Amino acid sequence: MPRSPGRRGEILDAFVRYVAERGYDRTNMGDIADELGMSKGTIVHHFGTKAQMLRELEETHLAVQLDALRMAWDRLAAPHERIAAIIYASALLQVIARDATVASQREVVQLSDDPAMQQVRKLRVQLQTLAIDEIRNGIEGGVFRSVDVELAALQLWGSLEWMWVWFDPADSPPPEQVGAAFVDVFLGGLLLDRLGLSKWASPSADVVSVVRECLASVSGATD
């Protein structure tokens, strides 16, 4: 997640790490203040409430994903390439922006009905719509078999949003390998012709390089 400069950035970085490690409910301003050697009042001055910090975390992290994928769309035209890009982006973020990814995914329903989280909900819908549109385009273009488009997109995002639970950068296979396995199963289940599947379901696939470059461009992060 791109970092804001100064003390405000330090506070948000610490908050993101605590939420990733403990969850939102067990994260408190007092611990952040103690770690950073400041008063709780300083945190309140910058953010107001803990909920405001969660909103900023979610908005920033989801915007990075959207911006990276939209940039990738300029380089990847085919529906199957774009679906693969969504999968590889999610896998790579487990390493490139680990704390923000875990914090966002574990708290996906936190404050979900809060009016202040309207922009977060909008960004999540936009991400889901990317998958819906490409699955539909693939069906209409004769590349994918006919499926319930919205259910297929929910299946995809549901599996990707759950990755934080079991993925461990120190223990799991590399994110490119994990992404390739997901592409093999999900994209393989959509394609009418699986002959070229290995071209996209590979850790060294061109789409992986495209996604990595786009993520680095929008976030300034490298793995």
Side-chain angles (χ1 to χ4, degrees), residues 155-188:
Q155 179 186 26
L156 174 61
W157 281 112
S159 62
L160 296 177
E161 289 286 301
W162 193 247
M163 194 180 296
W164 73 272
V165 174
W166 55 264
F167 185 91
D168 181 350
D171 248 356
S172 298
E176 299 88 347
Q177 186 177 335
V178 171
F182 273 59
V183 169
D184 182 65
V185 172
F186 187 79
L187 193 57

Side-chain angles (χ1 to χ4, degrees), residues 69-219:
L69 289 172
R70 286 168 175 162
M71 186 180 296
W73 270 208
D74 292 335
R75 299 170 59 179
L76 304 168
H80 45 283
E81 292 178 310
R82 291 179 172 183
I83 291 296
I86 290 172
I87 294 171
Y88 284 116
S90 292
L92 288 167
L93 281 167
Q94 293 291 335
V95 172
I96 292 173
R98 177 66 180 169
D99 286 342
T101 299
V102 172
S104 176
Q105 291 182 347
R106 77 180 295 165
E107 301 299 346
V108 65
V109 298
Q110 186 70 249
L111 306 179
S112 59
D113 296 329
D114 190 326
M117 301 295 276
Q118 180 178 359
Q119 179 63 14
V120 173
R121 293 192 292 272
K122 180 180 177 181
L123 291 170
R124 289 195 183 279
V125 168
Q126 289 174 356
L127 276 169
Q128 291 168 357
T129 300
L130 289 181
I132 290 170
D133 287 348
E134 294 312 317
I135 295 170
R136 181 176 290 116
N137 289 340
I139 293 170
E140 292 175 353
V143 178
F144 296 159
R145 64 187 182 88
S146 181
V147 297
D148 185 311
V149 174
E150 294 196 5
L151 282 179
L154 286 172
Q155 179 186 26
L156 174 61
W157 281 112
S159 62
L160 296 177
E161 289 286 301
W162 193 247
M163 194 180 296
W164 73 272
V165 174
W166 55 264
F167 185 91
D168 181 350
D171 248 356
S172 298
E176 299 88 347
Q177 186 177 335
V178 171
F182 273 59
V183 169
D184 182 65
V185 172
F186 187 79
L187 193 57
L190 288 175
L191 287 168
L192 286 170
D193 182 0
R194 293 169 50 95
L195 188 61
L197 179 59
S198 60
K199 180 179 179 181
W200 306 291
S202 167
S204 58
D206 289 343
V207 65
V208 178
S209 298
V210 170
V211 170
R212 186 191 304 280
E213 290 166 10
C214 293
L215 284 171
S217 179
V218 300
S219 69

